[in-house]
Amino acid sequence: MNIRERTERLEEQQLSPYACCSSSSAGRLYPEEPCQVRTAFQRDRDRIIHSKSFRRLKGKTQVFIIPEGDHYRTRLTHTLEVAQISRTVAKALRLNEDLTEAIALGHDLGHTPFGHIGEEALNEVFPPGFRHNEQSLRIVDELEGGRGLNLTREVRDGILNHTGMVRPLTLEGQVVKICDRVAYINHDIDDAIRGGILTLEDLPKPCLDVLGRTHRERINTMVLDLINNSWERPVISMSPEVQQATDELRSFLFAHVYIGSEAKREESKAKNVVQYLYLYFTKHPEALPPEQLKRVDEVGVERVVCDYIAGMTDHFAITQFSRLFIPRAFPTPE
């Protein structure tokens, strides 16, 4: 019995009956020899961490576009916070932590530059439409490394269904779906207060009475409630009281931070950057990098351009826009 097999045996003995054991995985798109040390879900986690798509998350907007301060969240720090909160919940519920972590680390790989406004921009110009969760799955299935990461079905399902109306197949995926919201609600409040968009007194008092007044208290309340309400149950959920307060706090953020606030004053410009790049490259595919250009005959120029732009960081998108659309100064003879 090798190390992986011993780990699988321990999972079967110690995890909740509702957990997804590594040995019970539905498998990969393409069969592979199992690793002798790592379980299938540990292997998936490692592949995501070592991917270029994961590293690029550090240069992608969470809420504040190209923030000047060092302490504002990026898409990467958001992802790490989701992973940490999700693992805490999964461990407490005796679910599979490795599966949970892999889903959490991969859930936002498909996000565009400039956050959700970039997603909206591509959705308007790309004929089939664009949704970041579907792009995340596309990255791990096809794009990363030119052939995808060949992840397990359970991780792929959790990535695809971390947002939207479809419930993930596994409880681990359900944990990530809820903890994603727990993370962004609380860290976006923190960033909005830091940026002078909100004060603590602006937050709805009934929500604070239930969840707590500090960042730490709110996360603690949500996490403990999620654990207690999901204990030994085949579905992951909060209690009605905490769920209502969480939903109301999220609605407050949409009204006062996510839409029309000072944090969003540059969004129209960011949207133009994405859409101008899309229109330019679809008309001039010869300007695409060679590794992108060779895919045009296979999937079409619009799909290739959409994939290319979705993978850009904020700064790379701005650099490309400047190179293509901003006139250069005429050099002065020496």
Side-chain angles (χ1 to χ4, degrees):
M1 184 181 294
N2 60 33
I3 294 174
R4 171 185 53 80
E5 291 169 334
R6 286 200 295 270
T7 302
E8 290 174 345
R9 182 71 58 84
L10 286 172
E11 287 182 354
E12 294 163 3
Q13 294 171 350
Q14 297 176 358
L15 294 185
S16 164
Y18 299 113
C20 181
C21 293
S22 303
S23 59
S24 302
S25 171
R28 305 180 185 278
L29 291 175
Y30 310 104
E32 294 181 7
E33 281 292 322
C35 176
Q36 294 200 12
V37 175
R38 297 169 296 167
T39 67
F41 301 141
Q42 290 172 342
R43 210 175 194 183
D44 285 357
R45 174 204 59 204
D46 294 350
R47 289 179 181 183
I48 291 168
I49 287 176
H50 289 287
S51 69
K52 290 188 292 185
S53 300
F54 183 79
R55 293 195 294 275
R56 287 198 298 268
L57 293 177
K58 70 179 181 294
K60 295 191 177 190
T61 290
Q62 174 61 26
V63 170
F64 288 81
I65 295 175
I66 322 174
E68 294 183 356
D70 294 330
H71 298 141
Y72 292 104
R73 271 74 172 190
T74 65
R75 191 62 57 176
L76 178 61
T77 58
H78 161 72
T79 295
L80 295 176
E81 290 187 37
V82 174
Q84 178 270 314
I85 296 170
S86 297
R87 284 202 64 156
T88 296
V89 174
K91 187 177 185 68
L93 294 176
R94 294 191 297 124
L95 301 178
N96 194 314
E97 292 180 64
D98 297 320
L99 171 56
T100 305
E101 185 178 31
I103 295 170
L105 293 175
H107 82 283
D108 267 357
L109 292 178
H111 246 300
T112 59
F114 312 120
H116 284 286
I117 195 63
E119 180 177 21
E120 180 182 315
L122 281 180
N123 188 52
E124 290 179 2
V125 294
F126 181 52
F130 181 90
R131 286 158 289 278
H132 78 272
N133 57 316
E134 295 175 359
Q135 187 69 12
S136 295
L137 184 63
R138 181 169 172 77
I139 285 172
V140 300
D141 279 358
E142 302 179 41
L143 300 179
E144 180 64 37
R147 59 180 183 177
L149 299 176
N150 195 28
L151 304 183
T152 56
R153 181 189 179 193
E154 293 78 12
V155 173
R156 295 172 59 248
D157 168 78
I159 288 173
L160 177 63
N161 295 312
H162 80 270
T163 187
M165 300 302 294
V166 179
R167 178 181 290 169
L169 293 172
T170 64
L171 264 63
E172 289 82 358
Q174 293 177 35
V175 166
V176 175
K177 189 182 185 84
I178 297 175
C179 290
D180 180 32
R181 186 167 291 194
V182 171
Y184 75 67
I185 286 174
N186 286 290
H187 66 51
D188 290 352
I189 289 173
D190 191 43
D191 281 355
I193 291 175
R194 179 184 301 279
I197 308 300
L198 294 175
T199 66
L200 181 61
E201 287 67 34
D202 293 327
L203 299 176
K205 187 175 183 300
C207 296
L208 300 188
D209 290 341
V210 173
L211 301 174
R213 291 185 58 81
T214 69
H215 180 79
R216 175 182 178 181
E217 288 173 349
R218 288 189 294 272
I219 292 180
N220 193 57
T221 298
M222 292 178 183
V223 167
L224 289 178
D225 181 80
L226 189 59
I227 293 168
N228 291 330
N229 201 60
S230 304
W231 181 255
E232 298 298 332
R233 294 185 61 211
V235 66
I236 305 297
S237 64
M238 292 177 171
S239 68
E241 181 185 27
V242 172
Q243 184 67 65
Q244 181 178 349
T246 300
D247 290 343
E248 289 177 0
L249 197 54
R250 179 173 180 266
S251 296
F252 173 86
L253 288 175
F254 269 94
H256 295 86
V257 177
Y258 300 149
I259 300 174
S261 76
E262 186 67 13
K264 299 298 184 179
R265 68 179 184 272
E266 299 295 296
E267 276 195 342
S268 62
K269 297 177 185 177
K271 190 173 185 179
N272 285 338
V273 169
V274 171
Q275 294 187 340
Y276 273 60
L277 288 175
Y278 179 87
L279 295 174
Y280 179 85
F281 284 119
T282 52
K283 290 180 180 178
H284 304 281
E286 69 280 359
L288 288 165
E291 65 272 16
Q292 301 292 338
L293 184 58
K294 67 183 181 183
R295 299 175 51 239
V296 169
D297 290 339
E298 179 185 353
V299 298
V301 65
E302 291 175 324
R303 177 75 263 180
V304 171
V305 172
C306 183
D307 290 339
Y308 180 47
I309 294 173
M312 293 180 178
T313 62
D314 297 1
H315 282 291
F316 186 76
I318 291 172
T319 298
Q320 291 296 93
F321 180 88
S322 299
R323 180 178 66 84
L324 295 171
F325 298 109
I326 304 300
R328 299 180 182 181
F330 187 79
T332 302
E334 294 183 2

